[in-house]
């Protein structure tokens, strides 16, 4: 009986190692495709798209207006599993932050 328990515990601990050994993506920034920096967007909802980043399993997208140094509207703070996001925004100036996560 003790051998069975040990084998199960060993199997569970090996499975957990996958979580511990993840690619270090600290300091790397995903490349935003659209909207480009300074672009005026005339479509609503606004389409946000970025390049998939090696080692990332999800992305944190933050949107504020007019910018993060002087926030008047915190429009979005969301975790996204893909590389596309659509969001309806009122006419305004916005700044976005995109962070890769794993």
């Amino acid at each position: 009986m003790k051998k069975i328990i040990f084998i199960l515990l060993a199997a569970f601990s090996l499975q957990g190692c996958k979580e511990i050994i993840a690619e270090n993506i600290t300091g790397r920034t995903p490349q935003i495709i659209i909207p480009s920096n300074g672009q005026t967007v005339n479509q609503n909802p606004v389409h946000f798209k970025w390049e998939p980043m090696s080692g990332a399993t999800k992305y944190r997208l933050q949107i504020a207006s007019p910018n993060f140094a002087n926030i008047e509207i915190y429009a979005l703070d969301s975790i996204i599993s893909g590389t596309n996001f659509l969001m309806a925004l009122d006419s305004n100036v916005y700044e976005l932050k995109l962070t890769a996560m794993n």
Side-chain angles (χ1 to χ4, degrees), residues 3-85:
K3 289 182 181 179
I4 294 172
I5 293 172
F6 175 74
I7 292 169
L8 290 174
L9 289 175
F12 287 130
S13 66
L14 289 175
Q15 177 129 4
C17 289
K18 291 179 185 177
E19 299 294 323
I20 295 170
I21 303 170
E23 184 177 344
N24 185 357
I25 59 174
T26 305
R28 293 174 45 202
T29 304
Q31 295 298 310
I32 298 170
I33 299 170
I34 55 173
S36 59
N37 192 20
Q39 179 182 5
T40 300
V41 178
N42 295 320
Q43 299 89 1
N44 213 2
V46 178
H47 185 195
F48 298 92
K49 183 175 176 72
W50 52 92
E51 293 285 338
M53 196 172 93
S54 173
T57 57
K58 54 192 167 200
Y59 302 87
R60 181 178 185 190
L61 179 61
Q62 298 169 281
I63 303 172
S65 178
N67 55 51
F68 286 97
N70 186 28
I71 297 174
E72 292 176 11
I73 301 168
Y74 200 71
L76 180 74
D77 187 350
S78 186
I79 305 298
I80 301 161
S81 59
T83 57
N84 286 282
F85 188 76

